[in-house]
Amino acid sequence: MSGAPDPRPSDALAPFRPRRGRMVALGVVWTSLVIFGTIAVIMPEQDGRWGLADRFMLFGVGVVIAALAWRYASIVAVPSRAGLTIRNLLLTRTLEWPEVVGIQFGGGEPWVSLDLQDGDTLAVMAIQKADGAAADREASRLAALIEAFGEAPEGGTQ
């Protein structure tokens, strides 16, 4: 038996994270900082038009791009026995399992969508079609969690 960890999540409650999109976003973070930082440092001064403030502003553009890419890289869906916390690009939402009535991962959608009890749908950007077979396994794992934990308690209090 080798001591190397299994790259597949063996824990059913392991967080869902995109793979390819995360790698690309992290590459954009560092590339943006390096390119804009380098340009800000080596930019020639022309007739006093490119001063220190201009250099900081140029680097600031790189920082804004890096921050947006970092947010994309931090997309995650964290399951627990109580529910699912979904952190997408702009919003974070926590659902209890009985609120989720179905899952969709087909058609032209680039990621998983959850059908909610109130008739709304919610994207789970952490499971993306770009990840191929790994995304199919993760969607199946999420569907199994919904089935296992999604039943509303019978005879619950009102």
Side-chain angles (χ1 to χ4, degrees):
M1 190 180 251
S2 73
D6 186 0
R8 296 180 310 251
S10 59
D11 180 14
L13 296 176
F16 297 96
R17 293 185 190 278
R19 294 178 184 185
R20 289 183 185 167
R22 181 174 167 83
M23 289 187 322
V24 169
L26 290 173
V28 169
V29 167
W30 294 112
T31 302
S32 174
L33 292 175
V34 168
I35 289 175
F36 281 89
T38 302
I39 292 172
V41 169
I42 66 170
M43 181 187 301
E45 191 166 327
Q46 297 176 353
D47 301 328
R49 291 187 303 181
W50 297 108
L52 188 60
D54 297 310
R55 294 170 192 262
F56 278 120
M57 287 178 58
L58 183 64
F59 183 66
V61 169
V63 169
V64 168
I65 292 169
L68 291 171
W70 183 264
R71 179 63 185 193
Y72 187 88
S74 68
I75 290 171
V76 66
V78 181
S80 69
R81 294 196 180 281
L84 181 66
T85 300
I86 301 164
R87 180 178 181 180
N88 284 335
L89 191 58
L90 298 177
L91 300 173
T92 300
R93 184 166 175 191
T94 301
L95 301 169
E96 294 181 5
W97 289 115
E99 291 180 74
V100 182
V101 296
I103 181 172
Q104 298 176 29
F105 192 49
E109 296 295 321
W111 42 68
V112 166
S113 293
L114 299 178
D115 296 323
L116 305 180
Q117 196 173 36
D118 63 3
D120 200 6
T121 60
L122 178 65
V124 181
M125 295 175 70
I127 304 173
Q128 300 179 359
K129 274 191 185 170
D131 291 333
D136 292 335
R137 287 191 302 273
E138 292 292 74
S140 295
R141 182 167 65 99
L142 180 56
L145 288 170
I146 293 168
E147 186 175 325
F149 295 120
E151 296 295 321
E154 299 211 12
T157 59
Q158 294 182 358

